């Protein structure tokens, strides 16, 4: 098993020094979902929500969150993202909205946290916009499903 990279030899938190690492292309894909009552999903799909386009707002929030990850997660490096895509797909069979984020860059450190943050904040935004009609919504299954590039290579979740 690998060592924790954000802890020094004295057990103190630290930001990893990436100055000597090679610049490589990196990509990460994360997913999650927000489960809700059928009538809440119908309101989102039909565009009948009085706050406006819930999916578009959550998509923009996810993109903005990816760009601000280093402000939210203490040991994350500020990154020059080259692409952030956030997709929210209504899934009426399971009464949920599935969320996927793909982040890309050429850099010296990974981009997994940006993809996970994008999914999380998109889900939180969807919840915020719909909580007046459905407080029992559940945000879950947020996870990294694929990572490309860097020293550790390609990761694909089972």
């Amino acid at each position: 098993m690998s060592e924790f990279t954000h802890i020094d030899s004295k057990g103190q938190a630290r930001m990893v020094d990436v100055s000597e690492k090679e610049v490589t292309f990196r990509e990460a894909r994360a997913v999650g979902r927000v489960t809700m009552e059928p009538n809440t999903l119908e309101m989102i799909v039909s565009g009948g929500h009085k706050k406006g386009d819930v999916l578009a707002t959550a998509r923009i929030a996810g993109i903005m969150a990816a760009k601000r990850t280093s402000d939210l997660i203490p040991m994350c490096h500020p990154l020059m993202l080259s692409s952030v895509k956030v997709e929210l797909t209504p899934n009426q069979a399971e009464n949920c909205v599935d969320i996927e984020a793909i982040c890309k860059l050429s850099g010296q450190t990974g981009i997994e946290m940006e993809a996970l943050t994008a999914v999380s904040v998109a889900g939180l935004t969807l919840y915020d916009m719909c909580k007046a009609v459905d407080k029992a919504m559940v945000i879950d299954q947020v996870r990294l499903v694929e990572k490309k590039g860097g020293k550790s290579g390609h990761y694909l979740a089972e």
Side-chain angles (χ1 to χ4, degrees), residues 85-152:
K85 293 180 182 172
V86 177
E87 294 298 327
L88 294 99
T89 306
N91 179 339
Q92 292 179 310
E94 298 186 41
N95 295 318
C96 65
V97 173
D98 292 314
I99 306 167
E100 178 182 64
I102 300 172
C103 297
K104 299 177 183 180
L105 64 69
S106 289
Q108 295 170 291
T109 190
I111 195 165
E112 299 91 344
M113 293 309 300
E114 285 70 15
L116 288 162
T117 300
V119 168
S120 299
V121 171
L124 288 167
T125 300
L126 195 148
Y127 186 96
D128 179 52
M129 292 187 74
C130 298
K131 68 183 182 281
V133 297
D134 188 354
K135 288 180 179 33
M137 289 177 288
V138 175
I139 303 167
D140 66 354
Q141 300 183 34
V142 176
R143 66 191 186 109
L144 180 72
V145 293
E146 188 171 19
K147 178 206 94 66
K148 299 176 185 175
K151 188 170 94 174
S152 63

Side-chain angles (χ1 to χ4, degrees), residues 7 18 20 30 33 43 46-47 49 58 84 99 116 153 155:
I7 298 177
V18 298
E20 300 297 321
R33 74 172 19 177
M43 185 182 298
S46 70
H49 199 293
V84 178
I99 306 167
L116 288 162
Y155 165 79

Side-chain angles (χ1 to χ4, degrees), residues 63-96:
I63 293 167
M64 291 175 65
K67 293 166 39 175
R68 301 290 305 264
T69 300
S70 66
D71 292 335
L72 301 169
I73 309 294
M75 300 304 163
C76 282
H77 294 82
L79 301 178
M80 184 63 79
L81 302 173
S82 58
S83 176
V84 178
K85 293 180 182 172
V86 177
E87 294 298 327
L88 294 99
T89 306
N91 179 339
Q92 292 179 310
E94 298 186 41
N95 295 318
C96 65

